Amino acid sequence: MNRTTGAARQESTSDNLNTRGMRRILASSFIGSAIEFYDFILYATAASLVFGKLFFAGMPPAVGLFASFSTLAVGYVARPLGGAIFGHFGDRLGRKGVLIVSMVLMGVATSAIGMLPTSTQIGVAAPILLVVLRLVQGLAVGGEWGGAMLVALEHAPSTRRGFAASFANMGGPAGAVLATLVMSAVSTLPDAQFLSWGWRVPFLLSIVLIAIGLLIRLKVSETPMFLELGEKAERRKIPLVEVITQYPRNLVLGIVAGMSSYTVQGLMTVWAVAHVIELGVDRTGVLNVKAVGATLTIVAIWFAARLSDRFGRKPVMFAGMLAGAVLAHPIIWLLQSGTLWGFAIGLFLANGIVQGVIFGPFGAFVAELFPTRMRYTGASLAYQTSSTLGAGFTPAIASGLVLAAGGRLWLVALVWALSFLVSAGCVLMTREGRAVDLAGETK
């Protein structure tokens, strides 16, 4: 064993996360994830407010909004592909370098969206370019979460893995808070200015944020588990093939379990935003409420992750899914009220409690389903596919369910509750991973 590997292992055996090295690692995981998800979620907000009008001009408003949500789904479809590609190199070459590449790719795509001409300027080329850039965003964020989560988890002591892994999960809603507040600030402009140039400012701001993220990420060391793996010949196998052939059950269960929290995100932070604004609720007020909701999600993730280190991943996640099934109809009823307070209470329940409790342990839960040699690929595939199925198509599906129910929302609530129950069943079918030895097999 070389000196670097030994030093890394020695650091990871301490139960204390409050060391200089671990603070830097956790900060990198949180801030890097926040910046990338700022870019990704920013698109979702713009899809609700702007893109239907600027890139699908000439269509009826409802059709333009549906088309805008469809481009949103493209990014989610690309996320599993990004997870597979970046996961492959992350498992073969290391976690750190892959994270740097994914961050640069995301920054380039997001900044380019902010400079993209509209359909009235360049015609059909505008929505085509928008879809291409959204595809690049999806590939980049597909590689981000798995690496950011593993850098923290694989440096952390076994008794603190859940909490350490949750810093990447907390970074996501933190990025959503920032994206929402920036978009809310520019939304106070008169409509003509907001649609002309105001919406572009948050996208161009990404250039500055990516530069900050890279400065932090470059100072983080490679994980001790990967350094030990580098000395073994089995590292040369293809991670994707191993995940699919040796761990298909773990992959499927991880995907369906993760869909529950992402269904909440797709419904409440995208579809519900467009729905209540269409009912006449103030746009800026809705965005501000959305930012508060994301902040509550961070708090819930924090506590749920710590509870998972004490009681296990499964009971904490199961409790959140059961709460989601019970609260589905009341939350939808609150949205039907067409008031800002109704939206706020519904969002706080959904994102501040349900999503946060499920999402807190999820990083450690899905990482503990796979061994080190394929963990980046397996965890990324499970996470990103669950985000695609749970959030990427949810806004469009919810819009279709409303049409099928004659404008009422009861069908949305029913499907939502059933999805929570299915995910809860998958969690019960997995093995508790809190005490799993990550250096060995996890079947």
Side-chain angles (χ1 to χ4, degrees):
M1 181 174 63
N2 61 42
R3 181 177 299 178
T4 303
T5 304
R9 175 186 288 176
Q10 183 177 5
E11 180 181 358
S12 69
T13 59
S14 170
D15 285 339
N16 184 15
L17 293 181
N18 193 27
T19 65
R20 182 177 181 182
M22 278 306 304
R23 286 197 300 269
R24 180 184 297 123
I25 290 165
L26 297 178
S28 169
S29 181
F30 177 86
I31 295 173
S33 183
I35 292 172
E36 290 228 18
F37 277 87
Y38 164 87
D39 290 353
F40 198 76
I41 299 300
L42 183 63
Y43 187 103
T45 306
S48 301
L49 303 177
V50 176
F51 291 158
K53 301 173 184 178
L54 298 184
F55 295 96
F56 301 96
M59 296 182 179
V63 177
L65 183 62
F66 182 83
S68 179
F69 283 157
S70 297
T71 69
L72 175 69
V74 169
Y76 281 97
V77 170
R79 286 175 67 164
L81 179 59
I85 294 172
F86 285 98
H88 172 84
F89 290 105
D91 282 328
R92 296 288 292 272
L93 304 178
R95 318 320 195 187
K96 178 179 176 179
V98 169
L99 284 174
I100 292 172
V101 173
S102 71
M103 180 170 282
V104 172
L105 193 63
M106 176 64 85
V108 171
T110 304
S111 301
I113 291 173
M115 296 181 283
L116 195 62
T118 65
S119 60
T120 58
Q121 296 172 310
I122 60 173
V124 71
I128 292 175
L129 290 172
L130 183 67
V131 169
V132 170
L133 293 172
R134 180 58 175 174
L135 183 66
V136 175
Q137 274 195 324
L139 292 173
V141 82
E144 163 63 26
W145 178 86
M149 180 272 295
L150 288 181
V151 164
L153 179 136
E154 291 183 347
H155 275 97
S158 60
T159 58
R160 307 295 298 278
R161 290 198 307 241
F163 185 55
S166 73
F167 276 75
N169 291 347
M170 287 187 281
V177 171
L178 182 60
T180 303
L181 289 177
V182 174
M183 186 64 80
S184 175
V186 297
S187 75
T188 59
L189 293 167
D191 283 349
Q193 295 181 31
F194 175 67
L195 293 175
S196 175
W197 59 267
W199 70 271
R200 299 179 184 273
V201 174
F203 286 87
L204 296 176
L205 180 62
S206 175
I207 299 174
V208 178
L209 297 178
I210 293 296
I212 296 172
L214 285 175
L215 288 175
I216 298 172
R217 186 154 281 177
L218 287 169
K219 297 180 180 180
V220 173
S221 61
E222 187 56 79
T223 74
M225 290 184 185
F226 181 82
L227 291 174
E228 290 185 28
L229 183 64
E231 301 171 358
K232 301 177 182 179
E234 65 183 5
R235 175 188 167 204
R236 305 309 303 169
K237 296 179 182 179
I238 300 175
L240 179 60
V241 173
E242 285 198 288
V243 169
I244 294 174
T245 59
Q246 297 184 26
Y247 290 82
R249 182 177 183 272
N250 288 14
L251 178 62
V252 172
L253 293 177
I255 289 170
V256 181
M259 284 174 58
S260 56
S261 65
Y262 271 105
T263 300
V264 178
Q265 180 177 309
L267 275 173
M268 298 304 298
T269 65
V270 182
W271 171 79
V273 168
H275 178 75
V276 297
I277 290 176
E278 185 179 350
L279 293 178
V281 180
D282 177 66
R283 179 179 64 197
T284 302
V286 166
L287 292 177
N288 289 337
V289 165
K290 182 180 172 183
V292 175
T295 304
L296 293 176
T297 304
I298 297 172
V299 176
I301 288 172
W302 177 286
F303 283 106
R306 293 178 70 91
L307 288 174
S308 79
D309 279 332
R310 182 174 181 181
F311 300 108
R313 325 301 182 205
K314 290 175 60 175
V316 177
M317 293 177 64
F318 183 82
M321 292 169 184
L322 188 61
V326 172
L327 292 173
H329 281 82
I331 289 171
I332 292 298
W333 178 81
L334 287 165
L335 295 180
Q336 283 182 305
S337 70
T339 64
L340 182 61
W341 280 109
F343 172 72
I345 296 172
L347 186 75
F348 296 163
L349 289 173
N351 291 81
I353 297 178
V354 176
Q355 185 182 18
V357 170
I358 299 171
F359 206 38
F362 184 68
F365 168 83
V366 74
E368 290 160 353
L369 295 176
F370 306 97
T372 304
R373 67 180 186 275
M374 65 183 82
R375 186 169 297 128
Y376 199 141
T377 300
S380 294
L381 272 179
Y383 176 89
Q384 303 301 349
T385 304
S386 69
S387 72
T388 297
L389 298 176
F393 295 100
T394 296
I397 291 173
S399 299
L401 291 174
V402 173
L403 292 175
R408 292 174 294 176
L409 306 185
W410 67 269
L411 195 54
V412 175
L414 176 62
V415 173
W416 193 13
L418 290 175
S419 70
F420 277 115
L421 294 177
V422 171
S423 295
C426 287
V427 167
L428 293 179
M429 294 172 65
T430 62
R431 184 179 71 171
E432 176 57 56
R434 179 168 63 101
V436 167
D437 178 11
L438 294 186
E441 296 295 317
T442 59
K443 287 186 178 180

